[in-house]
Amino acid sequence: MINRLAIIGVGLIGGSLALALKGKGAVNEVVGYSRSEDARQQALDLGIIDKAADSLAEAVSGADLVFVAVPMGAMNSVFEGIADYLSPEAIITDGGSAKAQVVAAAKQCLGEKFKQFVPGHPIAGTEKSGPSAAFPTLYEKHRIVLTPVSETDSAATAKVKAMWQLTGADVFEMNVEHHDTVLAATSHLPHVLAFNLVGMLAERNDCDEVLRYAAGGFRDFSRIASSDAVMWRDICLGNQDAILSLLEQYHQGIKQIEEAIRNQDGDYLIDVFSRAKKARDSRFADPNLIDNSEV
Amino acid sequence: MINRLAIIGVGLIGGSLALALKGKGAVNEVVGYSRSEDARQQALDLGIIDKAADSLAEAVSGADLVFVAVPMGAMNSVFEGIADYLSPEAIITDGGSAKAQVVAAAKQCLGEKFKQFVPGHPIAGTEKSGPSAAFPTLYEKHRIVLTPVSETDSAATAKVKAMWQLTGADVFEMNVEHHDTVLAATSHLPHVLAFNLVGMLAERNDCDEVLRYAAGGFRDFSRIASSDAVMWRDICLGNQDAILSLLEQYHQGIKQIEEAIRNQDGDYLIDVFSRAKKARDSRFADPNLIDNSEV
């Protein structure tokens, strides 16, 4: 049971956790803080938080659990802003999509309270953002990865794990570097690829007409290009090494496909396309999950 | 009203047209041909066709409308195989995803009947294939592009247009080159990008584990990588120039994003990501259409 939960960032990620825990009766009071007064008011109006704090200090004072759910570029200043106001027993966790940068920022800012910081990443979300995008079932059947480091107190990790399990999520532990590579491959790189394609089409004079003929395949492929630009800027900058290394590998693959198209090497294309199809089908085998191809 | 409809290729595209026209009572008899005896039998069993032909010659004999719905690499041999057996008044159309190559093949093979050939492209489909993937409402509210050339008889175009309208589709005309560029941008290029990403992940030793952490964004982005490898090989080879030119442009964009990540140039990333988001949101504004982001 959490007595006082502080949510820093009351958008999709923070708001959905608050709603889920409230729905389970697992929290007495939720205090929320956002730099945006509008977002704070909206979160209050939507019943996501019980009290809007006017400052980071006020938000975390007396909180036994603090969830930092801001774009990664703002993590450092949030840690700086809360460090002196945390209760001695407070546990801090976050929702950042790449962990090395967040862990470094927490270590630098939180001092001896760093051992009570449990780095986390809920692998859930939609392309929407803000308090109005939050909903209590966002995390149900989704994966939450915790990446405790050597300093992390195991009791703190257990408490954060139990909190996430209440939302209906499956909680896993992973080391920081492995997490950042896996997520670069399955999330960060796809986002970059989709942003780049849609950005390129947006520059065409005939963009509107071109997109008029885009069907279900394009719609699904490009959905992630509707994601929040600030959030994804921060992820790209925060997980720089893993993303750049995968982009290089990706480019090698594209070069070989280009060569095959240029040389009319159909066998090569069949080989790549078949392997991709097989891997994709084996991960998403349930037809109910993928039969969403209508425009 | 079509008296005898010949479907060459009884998979998702051909089968769905047959089912739609039968559902509207718009056809007296559907004769189907496939190189695969299994597919012919399946199409019969599923009620997609009334009669399975043993040869291309038999399939088109006496047909007043012939729909060629085979992978693009097989178009040439189908045109060769049917040319001598077409009724004088028969109208021929196709479902190929790139038009220049199909038009060239038809022109070479069909002789004086080329004027009765109406190049077409139904912009619809799923990642499934084969007769069992066909369903009668596939084309409802989808776009069908016809790309008649200077030789094409306008009465033939009108008849093909009327046929597609019966399926509930919106029918548009476009010239061949423009079609091939537009589709390279919104369909062929995204398929190559998705195949390449999933193919690259499939090569990793930890592929299964990596994909276990793939969430809704990846699922949607990669859905098209479940598409039929032969079909997409043929499209890549058949629309070579447009695809290679767009790949080059795509790569320039990626290089700039890479540079921005390397130089921690957040402003550049915000600019690209925001433009992409804006273009994507304006095309798919209905939230009901895109809110499918759960795993």
Side-chain angles (χ1 to χ4, degrees):
Chain A
M1 183 67 175
I2 300 165
N3 183 43
R4 190 173 186 174
L5 171 69
I7 301 283
I8 313 299
V10 291
L12 170 67
I13 296 300
S16 294
L17 177 64
L19 290 173
L21 294 177
K22 286 182 147 206
K24 297 287 177 189
V27 57
N28 276 336
E29 186 187 25
V30 179
V31 183
Y33 175 76
S34 163
R35 276 197 309 193
S36 149
E37 209 178 308
D38 279 359
R40 295 202 297 260
Q41 190 57 49
Q42 221 185 331
L44 262 182
D45 295 345
L46 292 165
I48 293 172
I49 58 176
D50 303 308
K51 191 185 162 194
D54 290 325
S55 66
L56 287 169
E58 186 189 340
V60 302
S61 295
D64 45 348
L65 211 145
V66 177
F67 182 47
V68 184
V70 298
M72 282 180 40
M75 291 277 180
N76 201 81
S77 64
V78 168
F79 292 143
E80 276 179 350
I82 65 175
D84 293 340
Y85 305 94
L86 291 165
S87 307
E89 73 284 0
I91 291 170
I92 311 106
T93 187
D94 78 305
S97 302
K99 302 318 305 168
Q101 193 192 48
V102 177
V103 168
K107 192 166 190 168
Q108 190 190 313
C109 304
L110 295 180
E112 65 172 29
K113 295 205 184 75
F114 177 62
K115 66 181 190 300
Q116 287 154 257
F117 173 67
V118 182
H121 177 204
I123 305 181
T126 73
E127 71 281 16
K128 319 282 176 56
S129 52
S132 63
F135 58 100
T137 56
L138 173 64
Y139 302 113
E140 257 175 34
K141 292 184 184 146
H142 281 64
R143 289 184 168 80
I144 311 291
V145 180
L146 303 180
T147 63
V149 294
S150 56
E151 295 94 326
T152 314
D153 178 50
S154 59
T157 303
K159 185 153 185 181
V160 171
K161 181 175 180 180
M163 174 191 79
W164 280 115
Q165 283 171 333
L166 284 173
T167 69
D170 293 323
V171 186
F172 296 82
E173 288 188 31
M174 219 186 255
N175 78 46
V176 167
E177 295 69 26
H178 189 53
H179 169 278
D180 287 358
T181 301
V182 167
L183 269 291
T186 55
S187 173
H188 309 169
L189 181 59
H191 275 80
V192 166
L193 300 174
F195 276 129
N196 186 51
L197 176 69
V198 185
M200 166 182 141
L201 298 185
E203 279 187 8
R204 294 176 67 107
N205 292 332
D206 60 352
C207 172
D208 284 352
E209 199 230 328
V210 166
L211 290 184
R212 206 172 307 139
Y213 291 93
F218 182 84
R219 182 205 55 201
D220 287 354
F221 178 92
S222 66
R223 180 177 62 77
I224 50 181
S226 273
S227 302
D228 182 65
V230 170
M231 174 179 164
W232 283 94
R233 173 200 62 188
D234 288 356
I235 290 172
C236 287
L237 299 181
N239 201 16
Q240 186 183 27
D241 294 346
I243 295 174
L244 286 177
S245 147
L246 284 164
L247 268 174
E248 175 58 32
Q249 224 180 304
Y250 187 82
H251 182 60
Q252 297 305 322
I254 285 288
K255 276 284 156 211
Q256 286 175 276
I257 291 179
E258 270 184 10
E259 275 303 293
I261 294 178
R262 191 170 286 116
N263 302 329
Q264 296 277 309
D265 180 355
D267 290 346
Y268 182 83
L269 298 177
I270 287 277
D271 181 48
V272 177
F273 296 175
S274 306
R275 275 190 288 114
K277 177 176 170 55
K278 194 175 151 205
R280 207 275 177 191
D281 288 348
S282 74
R283 167 63 181 90
F284 298 101
D286 180 350
N288 295 320
L289 288 178
I290 54 174
D291 193 4
N292 56 359
S293 45
E294 298 304 301
V295 168
Chain B
M1 184 68 174
I2 300 164
N3 185 42
R4 190 172 187 176
L5 172 68
I7 302 283
I8 312 299
V10 292
L12 170 68
I13 297 300
S16 294
L17 177 64
L19 289 173
L21 294 176
K22 285 181 147 205
K24 297 287 177 189
V27 57
N28 276 335
E29 186 187 24
V30 179
V31 183
Y33 176 77
S34 163
R35 278 195 306 192
S36 149
E37 210 178 306
D38 278 359
R40 294 203 297 261
Q41 190 56 48
Q42 221 185 331
L44 262 182
D45 294 345
L46 292 166
I48 292 171
I49 58 176
D50 303 308
K51 194 185 161 193
D54 290 324
S55 67
L56 286 168
E58 187 190 338
V60 303
S61 296
D64 44 349
L65 211 143
V66 177
F67 181 47
V68 184
V70 297
M72 283 181 40
M75 291 276 179
N76 201 80
S77 65
V78 168
F79 291 142
E80 275 178 350
I82 65 175
D84 293 341
Y85 304 95
L86 291 163
S87 307
E89 72 285 0
I91 292 169
I92 312 104
T93 187
D94 78 305
S97 303
K99 302 319 305 169
Q101 191 192 50
V102 177
V103 168
K107 192 166 190 167
Q108 189 191 315
C109 304
L110 295 180
E112 65 172 29
K113 294 204 185 75
F114 177 63
K115 66 182 189 301
Q116 287 154 258
F117 173 68
V118 183
H121 178 203
I123 305 183
T126 73
E127 71 281 17
K128 320 280 175 58
S129 53
S132 62
F135 58 99
T137 55
L138 173 63
Y139 301 114
E140 257 175 35
K141 294 187 183 144
H142 281 63
R143 291 183 166 80
I144 311 290
V145 180
L146 303 180
T147 62
V149 294
S150 55
E151 295 95 326
T152 314
D153 178 49
S154 58
T157 303
K159 187 153 183 180
V160 171
K161 180 175 180 178
M163 174 190 79
W164 280 115
Q165 283 170 334
L166 283 174
T167 69
D170 293 323
V171 187
F172 297 82
E173 289 188 30
M174 218 186 255
N175 78 45
V176 167
E177 293 72 25
H178 188 55
H179 170 277
D180 287 358
T181 301
V182 167
L183 269 291
T186 55
S187 172
H188 309 169
L189 182 58
H191 275 80
V192 166
L193 299 175
F195 275 129
N196 185 51
L197 176 70
V198 186
M200 167 182 140
L201 298 186
E203 279 187 8
R204 294 174 67 106
N205 292 333
D206 60 352
C207 172
D208 284 351
E209 198 230 328
V210 166
L211 291 183
R212 205 172 308 138
Y213 292 93
F218 182 84
R219 181 204 58 201
D220 288 355
F221 179 92
S222 65
R223 181 177 61 79
I224 51 182
S226 273
S227 303
D228 183 65
V230 170
M231 174 178 164
W232 283 95
R233 173 199 62 189
D234 289 357
I235 290 173
C236 286
L237 299 180
N239 201 16
Q240 186 184 24
D241 294 345
I243 294 173
L244 286 178
S245 143
L246 284 165
L247 269 174
E248 175 59 30
Q249 224 179 306
Y250 187 82
H251 182 59
Q252 296 306 322
I254 286 288
K255 276 284 156 209
Q256 287 176 277
I257 291 179
E258 269 182 10
E259 276 303 293
I261 294 177
R262 192 168 287 115
N263 302 329
Q264 297 277 309
D265 179 356
D267 291 346
Y268 182 82
L269 298 177
I270 286 277
D271 181 50
V272 176
F273 297 175
S274 305
R275 276 190 287 112
K277 177 175 170 56
K278 193 176 152 203
R280 206 277 177 190
D281 286 349
S282 74
R283 167 62 182 90
F284 298 101
D286 181 349
N288 295 319
L289 289 177
I290 53 173
D291 194 4
N292 56 359
S293 45
E294 298 305 302
V295 169

